[in-house]
Amino acid sequence: KGSFLKASEKKGAASRICTFGDSFVFGSEAPYGFDYPSLLLERLRQRGVDVEVINFGKPYIGFHQTYFLLSQLANKYSCDQL
């Protein structure tokens, strides 16, 4: 969980989707791989879409903190879609 810890500089032509939010995005109550960003990645790849999905979800944060994270990280990680 928290895939942004493993995220690197964008390589290749894959579209990069970045998800931001609280514990629901992070997947606090979900088994590993069952958070919605992981499921989104799986579904898109099943359809042949060349994509990366980075989970910037963080438990215990509110909207203003989510917005701050987005404003600080979206460009740094070259997000194509939010």
Side-chain angles (χ1 to χ4, degrees), residues 49-60:
V49 178
D50 188 15
V51 67
E52 297 177 313
V53 177
I54 302 177
N55 183 349
F56 286 103
K58 187 164 174 46
Y60 310 110

Side-chain angles (χ1 to χ4, degrees), residues 9-82:
E9 193 172 304
K10 187 175 170 188
K11 297 174 186 149
S15 181
R16 182 172 272 183
I17 299 171
C18 298
T19 60
F20 291 85
D22 58 11
S23 58
F24 290 104
V25 175
F26 180 78
S28 292
E29 303 278 329
Y32 185 80
F34 284 85
D35 53 279
Y36 99 77
S38 294
L39 295 173
L40 175 63
L41 175 63
E42 181 183 330
R43 299 299 189 284
L44 289 171
R45 286 191 173 162
Q46 286 173 349
R47 289 173 173 76
V49 178
D50 188 15
V51 67
E52 297 177 313
V53 177
I54 302 177
N55 183 349
F56 286 103
K58 187 164 174 46
Y60 310 110
I61 66 171
F63 181 77
H64 64 287
Q65 293 153 320
T66 299
Y67 180 77
F68 178 76
L69 269 178
L70 187 150
S71 69
Q72 298 297 307
L73 300 176
N75 286 331
K76 179 180 179 180
Y77 286 91
S78 303
C79 301
D80 297 309
Q81 302 289 322
L82 303 172

